[in-house]
Amino acid sequence: MTPPARSFDLLVAGDAVPDVIVGDVAGELTFGQAETLVEHGTLTVGGSSAIMACGAARLGLRVAFVGVLGDDAAGRFMLDELTARGVDVSACVVLAGRATGLTVHLVRPGAARDRAMLTSLGCVGELTAEMVRDALARSGEGDASARPIGHLHVGSFYLLPKLAPDLADLFAEVRRVGGTTSLDTQGDWQGLWQGGLHEALRETDVFLPNRDEARAVAANLGAAPVGASGAPVGASGAPDGAPGATDETLLSALAALGPLPVVKCGAEGAVSLDRTALVRAGALPAAPVDTIGAGDSFDAGFVYGRLQGWSVLRSLALATACGSLSTRAAGGVAAQPTLDEALAAAPPAGT
């Protein structure tokens, strides 16, 4: 018997804010009402969660998004842009009299394309577990035979103070009805890595940090890997006199918290575990316009692969291709690849 279809493959919950990208910014900024001219300025889709949703839709998944926006020009811009990219926004909450968040990226010249970010959160943090539950319920409306949504992804954990404490329960509910979950915390601006993260990771199928975030989580949640001296390796690197932890050690420490860890390593690609074996995929050679949203496009690629039933290794190769290709244009969404583009470019993957 053929199982009933789902209305959506993926629900993404979290932050959706316009990104204003300005570059190249050479030297230090000068205050005192001094004007500095730069070469480029871009207004585009921003927010880790929103960029991930767009990347997943670009790959061909049926994607819905839930977040909180203000009833203002910035909010309408985000809803229009997400819709134009094939993301269903019917579950989004629009608050009258509140401002939509906004991020300004100041991009440095040079191969690393380093940047500073200035963010006004607006009403991003008003997202609650009940709003996400409502979005999950909407996924089958109008189709009595529809199955629950296949996967719930949450981004920017530490920008969501009303959702974060309830995320473990929410993820557990999704898993009980046969769905899967993923989490990309992004950074913790307070540097504490608490606020319910330990509990949430127990109910997370796939955890998608970058290497610095992975080290910080392992150190602060009591699963810190150790260096050769036996001393813990903390968020900022190895203890005095000890080399840094190996990728195997770091991944094992994160896996002990509950999820499958998938660690993004920038130009080095990414690493994960297939059961207990380390698997690795290299990034594509690139001269990035900027790296904004590359990790979120990576997330979309990895989740796509897992929803197709692919191995960790094959999913990792697709994810690194998606992340690398997204750097071809300014911002997080303009150069996100189609599935065919990503598969054609996917790097060799090996252990």
Side-chain angles (χ1 to χ4, degrees):
M1 179 177 177
T2 302
R6 294 187 177 100
S7 298
F8 294 101
D9 303 302
L10 168 67
L11 175 65
V12 182
D15 53 330
V17 303
D19 272 350
V20 179
I21 305 164
V22 179
D24 286 341
V25 180
E28 298 301 318
L29 294 178
T30 304
F31 285 82
Q33 302 184 53
E35 185 171 30
T36 301
L37 299 183
V38 295
E39 291 286 331
H40 306 288
T42 302
L43 172 64
T44 187
V45 171
S48 173
S49 305
I51 293 172
M52 190 276 188
C54 291
R58 181 76 168 152
L59 292 172
L61 293 178
R62 296 165 296 175
V63 182
F65 177 83
V66 58
V68 181
L69 305 100
D71 186 14
D72 54 13
R76 289 188 287 275
F77 171 82
M78 286 301 302
L79 293 173
D80 289 346
E81 290 294 310
L82 286 165
T83 300
R85 287 172 169 77
V87 177
D88 185 284
V89 296
S90 60
C92 285
V93 176
V94 177
L95 298 181
R98 297 293 300 274
T100 300
L102 179 74
T103 295
V104 177
H105 299 258
L106 305 176
V107 182
R108 292 281 199 193
R113 309 306 289 163
D114 191 19
R115 67 188 189 273
M117 294 175 285
L118 304 172
T119 296
S120 170
L121 285 178
C123 55
V124 163
E126 297 299 317
L127 184 66
T128 66
E130 283 308 309
M131 293 174 185
V132 181
R133 289 187 180 100
D134 287 346
L136 289 166
R138 285 171 179 258
S139 70
E141 282 184 358
D143 183 357
S145 67
R147 297 171 64 194
I149 211 156
H151 188 90
L152 173 60
H153 175 84
V154 173
S156 296
F157 182 85
Y158 288 102
L159 301 184
L160 305 170
K162 293 188 176 182
L163 175 62
D166 297 323
L167 188 59
D169 288 343
L170 184 63
F171 273 6
E173 292 165 20
V174 170
R175 298 173 90 189
R176 277 197 294 271
V177 296
T180 50
T181 62
S182 59
L183 177 63
D184 186 343
T185 58
Q186 301 290 314
D188 176 9
W189 58 276
Q190 292 181 303
L192 302 175
W193 300 94
Q194 301 296 324
L197 180 60
H198 199 290
E199 295 79 6
L201 287 175
R202 293 194 193 108
E203 301 293 344
T204 299
D205 290 297
V206 180
F207 179 41
L208 294 150
N210 66 31
R211 189 179 268 154
D212 288 341
E213 293 158 357
R215 288 171 174 161
V217 169
N220 285 280
L221 296 188
V226 296
S229 69
V233 176
S236 60
D240 291 342
T246 64
D247 285 330
E248 293 96 330
T249 304
L250 179 59
L251 289 164
S252 295
L254 294 174
L257 297 171
L260 170 68
V262 180
V263 177
K264 294 168 276 195
C265 307
E268 297 176 36
V271 293
S272 186
L273 293 174
D274 188 350
R275 298 181 177 85
T276 59
L278 182 77
V279 291
R280 188 184 305 274
L284 303 180
V289 174
D290 66 44
T291 58
I292 294 168
D296 309 313
S297 293
F298 174 102
D299 294 352
F302 192 85
V303 168
Y304 178 94
R306 296 304 281 169
L307 287 177
Q308 307 312 307
W310 293 1
S311 68
V312 173
L313 187 60
R314 187 179 179 191
S315 300
L316 201 66
L318 178 69
T320 56
C322 289
S324 298
L325 292 172
S326 77
T327 69
R328 296 173 294 176
V333 298
Q336 288 179 317
T338 65
L339 180 61
D340 286 345
E341 289 174 325
L343 289 174
T351 58

